[in-house]
Amino acid sequence: LIGRMTAGWTPGDGRTLFAVGDPMQSIYRFREAEVRIFLDAQVTSQINEVPVECLQLTRNFRSRAPVVDWINTVFPRVLGTVSDPARGEVGYAPVRATRGGAADPPPTVELCVDLHEETARVLQHVRSARAEGAAEIAILVRARGHLAAILPALRAAGIPFAAVDLEALSERLVTRDLITLTRVLSQPADGIASLALLRAPWCGLTLADLLIVAEAARGDTVLAALGQPATLTHLSVDGQARVARLQAAVLPALAARGRMPLHQVVRAAWFALGGPACTADDVDIDGATRYFNLLAAQAQGGEIGDWDEFTGLAARLYAEPVPVAAGVVQVMTLHKAKGLEFDTVILPGLARKTRGSDSPPLRWRLREQGARGRVLLLAPMHARTGAATVRDPVYDYLKAIDADESTAELGRLMYVGCTRAKRRLHLLAVPAVHVDASTQQPEWRQPPAQSALARLWPAVIEHAVPAAPPPAAATDDTAPLPAPPLTRMPLAWRADVPLPALDAARARASIAADALPFDWAAATAAAIGTVAHRMLAQVARDGLAMWTPARIAASQAAVDIALASEGVASPERADAVARVLQVLTRTMADARGRWLFDAGHLDAHSEWALAGVLDGEVRHVTLDRSFVVDDVRWIVDFKTGRHEGGDPTAFLDREHERYRAPLERYARIMRGLDTRPIRLALYFPLVDGGWREWCCAAA
């Protein structure tokens, strides 16, 4: 790009180029960034035959002197002192500290005997930093998997942390069991899912009982086998009771399949099984809520069309981070930390590797060859002829260069992590320990080549604490491994509030009573309402400033696709799209509509899913918009209907009476969460003066 921009430039023609960058922080090879281009410009002092002058900045305005001095000592041995563009190696350039801090301790490198000790030391450093009043504390890792022990430990210790896109909900037991329950209710013939359902904590069959069920299910489904008296009689007394409890929740849900939205069927079965009682903490409850929202968005006609796509989306659900404030530990990958700074930085898991890249079928590289111009090196993957492998030396050469560049970038990645620290820097690793054959003394083993510790090893091992003796190995190699513990709900467990299993007939009657029809009870009108509500929820997420008339007009294609997915036929979609856009336009132009989405409202929610017990039954409701103003809780229902007659006041009065009972049920459920006064409102953006509000003394 720069070469094309400067094509035709000549010395002295008045045109200039100014570029800023730090090659020691080049860490994006996975995006095909090539630090070689920057280094070539430095070495040759030209870009596309245009002479350039290179200036090296040397003052550090971020870190205290002990941190800067340690980096100046360690990283010349990590990165080297001379750049090599051909191998992607960037020589270290020392810097000067401009901030004091002579009394601050130098960075630490701690080698731990096991993961438990490493996690304990991470918590110790976090507590120390919080005690000292550090406003910004960060734990930085190469990969999400390196946090498997640290995040639960932080949560157990009551230390607030913000982990952006790091704590996968799909890896937590509650979400995995919900996926299993969904699979069974949507595909009852899936034997593996059915057996997993029986092993989940809400049932928890022993392996002996599970084997009996699996044998009985040969040639039939697991659920059908459970319905056979011959199967039940072979189960233990405990197993029979657990199967009976599971059947009471799952069989009515199966009967309701196809008659109710899938997310409602799964959620009702989950409640009846006691799923909320199997959660470990609030993150599981939040994960379940977000899973149900995903299921509601992806299920069509009570079915999951593409199960692989759905599970892929579920795998990308991450726990919501807490707001970042003083004392909140920020947990992120090293790549996300680039450009940031923290009072205290902790780098654990340095002895662990990340998953290596696969061998591509084709490797290539462009190389500058002076007067010969660019030379392309190209080689395919090794060919197989029978049992032999024909190796391509060019492919092996390019692979070796790629490995060298990856190793060099790993050193730069560590440089980025270490230079995020302003005052405190702690590096931790769990290298292997072996006993020297000649001295019989324990020694730290050379870390794996792909680990970050391997890049730091020559510079830090001479200052490391001597290794402790390795744990004693088991003497009996033939002893069987202990079975993993079975976590399951006690048979005596009962919900504090009775949660009846889903009864299909009663559920349909309850839905019919609660779910008032859209305008004219037409399918197209229902789809318009669904998409309009979805767009208004997007307005709430983005903020009013983002939804200009131009943005609304640009949403036409997205609205058309959304309506098509709701089943609106092509001949009707043009008018339906216009109506959805009209809802958005009139809401944004109306003072009342803009007030509903005012960013100053407290505890604001859109499409807020709640559940509560009313008259002895569990009711699930979704609030279009709710917020607090002047210590009053507002619940607002959006209506996309239009009035074609001549008396809008009478129309609004009728609609008020029509929707009064459902909104007051919302208020009764809300009363379990909020004791403030409640006001209810209906908002009709397509009706002039389309607003009705009233006070509700919900009991």
Side-chain angles (χ1 to χ4, degrees):
L1 174 63
I2 294 176
R4 289 177 179 271
M5 289 171 56
T6 59
W9 286 23
T10 57
D13 63 5
R15 290 178 285 187
T16 61
L17 171 71
F18 179 60
V20 179
D22 182 359
M24 290 191 295
Q25 296 190 51
S26 176
I27 56 174
Y28 293 103
R29 287 187 70 247
F30 64 91
R31 293 181 184 168
E32 301 186 11
E34 293 189 51
V35 71
R36 170 183 56 82
I37 299 173
F38 198 104
L39 298 178
D40 282 338
Q42 286 184 312
V43 172
T44 62
S45 296
Q46 66 177 17
I47 297 176
N48 198 34
E49 300 182 358
V50 176
V52 296
E53 179 184 2
C54 297
L55 303 177
Q56 184 70 46
L57 306 182
T58 60
R59 289 190 291 175
N60 183 302
F61 295 93
R62 171 186 295 146
S63 305
R64 298 293 182 96
V67 174
V68 173
D69 293 343
W70 184 86
I71 291 173
N72 281 336
T73 301
V74 169
F75 277 90
R77 301 180 66 178
V78 175
L79 301 181
T81 56
V82 178
S83 297
D84 184 353
R87 309 189 81 83
E89 295 177 351
V90 180
Y92 180 75
V95 296
R96 278 188 302 116
T98 59
R99 305 183 65 187
D104 290 335
T108 63
V109 179
E110 301 167 57
L111 304 183
C112 308
V113 295
D114 55 26
L115 186 60
H116 176 75
E117 181 187 355
E118 182 184 54
T119 303
R121 292 197 185 186
V122 169
L123 293 184
Q124 178 184 349
H125 290 310
V126 169
R127 291 191 179 101
S128 298
R130 287 165 58 88
E132 293 176 0
E136 299 163 328
I137 307 169
I139 299 175
L140 310 180
V141 294
R142 288 181 66 193
R144 297 186 183 99
H146 298 177
L147 294 165
I150 293 174
L151 294 186
L154 289 172
R155 185 172 285 112
I159 298 174
F161 65 89
V164 181
D165 292 347
L166 284 177
E167 191 171 17
L169 294 173
S170 60
E171 296 176 1
R172 298 186 68 86
L173 181 62
V174 170
T175 309
R176 293 207 306 266
D177 288 339
L178 273 171
I179 294 174
T180 298
L181 178 60
T182 305
R183 181 67 177 176
V184 172
L185 293 178
S186 60
Q187 299 290 338
D190 189 328
I192 298 297
S194 298
L195 292 173
L197 183 72
L198 297 175
R199 188 69 170 170
W202 49 59
C203 181
L205 284 191
T206 63
L207 290 177
D209 283 338
L210 204 63
L211 180 60
I212 292 172
V213 174
E215 289 293 331
R218 291 182 180 273
D220 205 344
T221 67
V222 171
L223 296 180
L226 290 176
Q228 301 297 325
T231 304
L232 296 177
T233 56
H234 287 85
L235 297 179
S236 65
V237 175
D238 174 84
Q240 293 177 24
R242 292 182 178 278
V243 167
R245 183 168 65 181
L246 180 129
Q247 287 177 315
V250 172
L251 294 182
L254 285 171
R257 188 167 63 102
R259 299 186 177 94
M260 296 173 58
L262 182 59
H263 73 282
Q264 292 185 9
V265 174
V266 175
R267 182 164 56 184
W270 188 63
F271 273 108
L273 287 166
C278 300
T279 58
D281 45 44
D282 289 345
V283 71
D284 287 326
I285 296 295
D286 173 67
T289 301
R290 298 180 64 195
Y291 176 80
F292 290 134
N293 291 339
L294 174 67
L295 186 58
Q298 294 298 313
Q300 296 290 336
E303 300 289 345
I304 297 293
D306 187 329
W307 184 257
D308 290 337
E309 179 184 7
F310 173 74
T311 54
L313 292 172
R316 293 197 286 273
L317 290 177
Y318 294 97
E320 287 287 343
V322 301
V324 177
V328 172
V329 180
Q330 299 185 57
V331 186
M332 64 187 73
T333 63
L334 287 161
H335 284 92
K336 280 188 177 293
K338 189 173 184 293
L340 304 179
E341 59 183 32
F342 310 93
D343 291 328
T344 298
V345 170
I346 304 169
L347 303 175
L350 299 184
R352 302 178 66 175
K353 300 185 295 182
T354 58
R355 187 178 67 87
S357 58
D358 298 329
S359 294
L362 198 65
R363 291 186 184 273
W364 69 89
R365 189 168 299 270
L366 282 171
R367 278 288 181 256
E368 300 289 344
Q369 295 290 335
R372 296 170 57 190
R374 292 183 176 181
V375 174
L376 173 65
L377 297 178
L378 185 70
M381 183 183 282
H382 309 311
R384 283 189 175 275
T385 57
T389 299
V390 180
R391 306 191 65 85
D392 187 318
V394 178
Y395 189 93
D396 289 341
Y397 169 71
L398 295 176
K399 181 178 180 180
I401 291 179
D402 184 76
D404 289 344
E405 291 182 346
S406 294
T407 301
E409 183 171 277
L410 180 55
R412 298 195 295 272
L413 186 64
M414 291 308 304
Y415 173 80
V416 168
C418 293
T419 54
R420 300 309 95 197
K422 293 193 289 187
R423 299 189 60 184
R424 301 284 191 274
L425 175 61
H426 306 287
L427 295 88
L428 300 100
V430 185
V433 178
H434 73 104
V435 177
D436 183 86
S438 58
T439 64
Q440 297 300 307
Q441 294 297 317
E443 294 182 351
W444 298 114
R445 189 184 296 275
Q446 179 79 21
Q450 295 83 9
S451 68
L453 184 61
R455 297 293 294 142
L456 298 170
W457 195 250
V460 302
I461 183 57
E462 58 195 45
H463 304 293
V465 176
T475 56
D476 184 5
D477 294 336
T478 63
L481 294 175
L486 175 59
T487 303
R488 58 181 185 167
M489 188 183 299
L491 271 177
W493 178 88
R494 293 294 182 273
D496 294 336
V497 177
L499 297 174
L502 179 67
D503 178 81
R506 184 174 58 185
R508 290 196 298 275
S510 173
I511 289 173
D514 282 350
L516 291 167
F518 283 90
D519 312 314
W520 315 309
T524 299
I528 290 171
T530 299
V531 175
H533 279 68
R534 195 180 303 163
M535 299 299 290
L536 290 172
Q538 187 66 43
V539 171
R541 287 190 291 270
D542 296 342
L544 289 170
M546 297 290 292
W547 282 86
T548 61
R551 167 77 179 276
I552 294 174
S555 302
Q556 180 173 347
V559 171
D560 184 78
I561 293 172
L563 288 167
S565 69
E566 294 294 326
V568 179
S570 179
E572 301 176 5
R573 279 211 302 277
D575 290 340
V577 169
R579 186 163 160 186
V580 172
L581 297 182
Q582 187 183 18
V583 169
L584 292 172
T585 300
R586 288 179 64 99
T587 301
M588 295 299 99
D590 178 30
R592 177 81 65 181
R594 296 182 69 83
W595 175 77
L596 293 174
F597 298 99
D598 192 317
H601 296 338
L602 301 177
D603 197 25
H605 302 268
S606 287
E607 298 297 308
W608 194 9
L610 299 176
V613 178
L614 296 180
D615 304 323
E617 294 187 0
V618 177
R619 295 293 185 93
H620 297 275
V621 299
T622 301
L623 279 54
D624 292 347
R625 184 72 175 159
S626 182
F627 48 82
V628 175
V629 176
D630 296 332
D631 206 37
V632 173
R633 164 68 64 180
W634 284 82
I635 299 176
V636 183
D637 217 31
F638 299 134
K639 300 301 176 187
T640 56
R642 293 184 295 193
H643 176 57
E644 306 294 345
D647 188 359
T649 301
F651 168 76
L652 293 172
D653 289 341
R654 289 194 302 272
E655 296 298 281
H656 178 197
E657 291 305 317
R658 184 185 184 198
Y659 291 103
R660 175 190 289 272
L663 263 71
E664 291 186 352
R665 278 196 291 271
Y666 296 173
R668 290 174 62 191
I669 292 176
M670 176 60 71
R671 181 58 69 218
L673 298 176
D674 197 331
T675 59
R676 284 175 283 216
I678 296 177
R679 288 195 69 81
L680 305 173
L682 293 170
Y683 180 57
F684 294 78
L686 299 183
V687 178
D688 292 336
W691 177 262
R692 284 290 184 271
E693 67 176 74
W694 66 99
C695 182
C696 178

